[in-house]
Amino acid sequence: DTILSNECKQSMCDFVEAQCALDILDWQSDYDALFERGRNLSLLLFEHVHGESRDRGQAMVDLIEQYKLAGLAIDKNELPDYIPMFLEFLSTQDRDNTKAWLMDISHILAVLATRLEERNSGYASLFNALLEMSQAEIDLTEIREAVANEEADYTNEAIDKVWEDEAITFGGSATDGGSCPSSTTNAKPTAKQ
């Protein structure tokens, strides 16, 4: 019973060889540029499903419970939906459970693989391998079309836009000075004695 195709195995081997040929700092820089800039390639599973909503918190609590049932304890500073953590959990599961869990997240894996392919990253081979292991039937044509139409969220301009502060106003028309009367206009001169 073969889990991965020869093509998939070769693609992962090529990726590992290419990464091992890099200087470790270049590898780290490449990784950070991909996964730490913007949200499109976030390695947090539930960010792709729930974004910043409260539902993400409950989903993480539920996942922590699954980890505990598998005998895994995570540090309070670790996020359970971090894909490497999730894969560590899957390593404790039998083949059928692993396949079922991967099938549950197959759409996320497919989107990440497609986004990585768009950026010509060898990391796509790892996500494609997980997707192949899931044996999920995903319409990649539809996903590729959607990804091709996405705006890049990793450029400096896109990152600045996300972090751009909104103008702060205090009351009605703070910009024209109408809501904050001057204390000097109401002050009465005091007589010297």
Side-chain angles (χ1 to χ4, degrees):
D1 186 16
T2 303
I3 297 174
L4 296 174
S5 66
N6 288 335
E7 180 184 346
C8 188
K9 290 177 188 176
Q10 186 60 54
S11 182
M12 286 194 306
C13 286
D14 293 344
F15 167 73
V16 170
E17 284 180 20
Q19 294 304 108
C20 288
L22 292 174
D23 177 81
I24 191 71
L25 293 177
D26 291 336
W27 188 344
Q28 183 178 5
S29 177
D30 178 46
Y31 182 91
D32 287 346
L34 283 170
F35 300 112
E36 302 296 328
R37 292 179 61 95
R39 290 187 171 161
N40 283 352
L41 288 175
S42 173
L43 293 178
L44 300 172
L45 289 169
F46 298 143
E47 189 166 304
H48 295 283
V49 178
H50 302 295
E52 296 297 320
S53 76
R54 290 180 183 222
D55 294 337
R56 181 175 179 217
Q58 185 58 53
M60 288 199 288
V61 168
D62 295 343
L63 190 55
I64 288 171
E65 282 304 310
Q66 292 295 319
Y67 289 178
K68 285 180 183 176
L69 291 172
L72 295 176
I74 66 171
D75 186 85
K76 64 181 178 179
N77 296 322
E78 294 179 299
L79 295 172
D81 64 336
Y82 182 55
I83 291 175
M85 169 77 63
F86 182 73
L87 295 177
E88 185 175 339
F89 161 67
L90 292 186
S91 73
T92 68
Q93 303 297 296
D94 63 31
R95 185 180 284 190
D96 289 339
N97 281 341
T98 297
K99 180 181 165 186
W101 279 101
L102 287 174
M103 194 171 283
D104 282 348
I105 65 164
S106 61
H107 190 270
I108 298 168
L109 297 173
V111 169
L112 289 171
T114 303
R115 287 175 177 158
L116 288 163
E117 287 168 357
E118 281 277 314
R119 295 186 53 189
N120 297 316
S121 172
Y123 282 98
S125 65
L126 305 179
F127 288 89
N128 282 324
L130 293 170
L131 193 57
E132 193 171 305
M133 287 176 67
S134 78
Q135 297 180 348
E137 301 207 9
I138 302 280
D139 183 0
L140 290 176
T141 305
E142 188 176 306
I143 292 173
R144 286 187 179 114
E145 287 173 9
V147 167
N149 292 320
E150 290 177 341
E151 286 189 40
D153 74 339
Y154 55 88
T155 64
N156 289 339
E157 295 80 17
I159 292 170
D160 286 346
K161 188 175 182 178
V162 168
W163 289 100
E164 192 175 82
D165 289 330
E166 290 184 31
I168 298 173
T169 58
F170 299 97
S173 55
T175 56
D176 62 11
S179 66
C180 188
S182 171
S183 61
T184 58
T185 58
N186 296 329
K188 294 181 182 176
T190 55
K192 289 186 181 179
Q193 297 189 348

